[in-house]
Amino acid sequence: KNNRLMSRSRGKSRKQDVLLTQDQTQEITEAFNLLDTDNTGIIKASELKVAMRALGFDARKEELKKMIADKEEMIDLEEFKEMMSSRMSERDPKEEILKAFNLIDSDSTGKITIKDLKRVTTEIGENLSDEELREMMA
């Protein structure tokens, strides 16, 4: 079953439609909602960089300026979806997995140790016993 939603990208340089999965669309919406704390459906253009970082994207100042050039200091959810659609569809799943792996493998050994897992689980507020961590590694 392939749940794909149509999200249209109407940028000046891209006229093609971009297909996103339901999960990708939800991820974009969640990143937007992190900054839309008053639930108005609008974020400030100045918050775009933070919203993009929540999705794992880095953007340079010049790129951000181009993205918000025709926006009136405010971006609504649909505009944000349009901006992020092409980026989401271009993500390389293997690259994403490698980035996550490298974040966990703090000493760059190419292996994730129980010590690494302990650090990560503690950072995210999960206090697991060494036995539970060993079970995860099994």
Side-chain angles (χ1 to χ4, degrees):
K1 182 177 172 182
N2 190 356
N3 289 334
R4 294 181 77 86
L5 299 177
M6 183 72 72
S7 180
R8 301 199 184 277
S9 176
R10 294 188 181 134
K12 293 176 185 170
S13 62
R14 291 181 67 115
K15 300 263 187 218
Q16 71 217 41
D17 290 337
V18 177
L19 290 175
L20 295 177
T21 66
Q22 206 167 18
D23 287 343
Q24 288 171 319
T25 302
Q26 182 178 348
E27 191 177 347
I28 291 171
T29 302
E30 287 172 1
F32 182 89
N33 289 340
L34 284 173
L35 297 170
D36 182 21
T37 55
D38 55 1
N39 295 317
T40 59
I42 297 171
I43 62 171
K44 295 176 187 169
S46 60
E47 297 173 321
L48 180 59
K49 184 173 185 168
V50 176
M52 290 177 66
R53 282 215 129 138
L55 291 169
F57 299 118
D58 289 321
R60 294 183 193 89
K61 281 185 181 181
E62 305 81 37
E63 187 178 4
L64 288 168
K65 284 180 184 178
K66 285 180 188 176
M67 292 175 78
I68 61 174
D70 61 342
K71 309 295 179 226
E72 306 264 330
E73 294 299 313
M74 303 300 253
I75 299 169
D76 67 25
L77 178 58
E78 288 307 310
E79 289 173 317
F80 184 66
K81 283 181 182 177
E82 288 177 16
M83 291 175 176
M84 296 301 106
S85 291
S86 61
R87 289 176 177 268
M88 291 294 282
S89 66
E90 293 168 0
R91 272 187 174 170
D92 180 1
K94 288 179 182 176
E95 186 178 316
E96 296 293 314
I97 291 169
L98 187 58
K99 279 182 187 177
F101 184 90
N102 289 333
L103 285 173
I104 297 169
D105 179 21
S106 62
D107 53 1
S108 301
T109 62
K111 297 178 182 176
I112 295 175
T113 64
I114 289 179
K115 178 182 160 193
D116 291 328
L117 282 181
K118 184 81 164 176
R119 178 185 49 81
V120 171
T121 56
T122 301
E123 285 175 4
I124 63 171
E126 293 289 328
N127 293 318
L128 300 176
S129 69
D130 287 351
E131 183 178 329
E132 289 171 309
L133 293 170
R134 278 192 287 278
E135 287 177 18
M136 289 175 65
M137 301 284 289

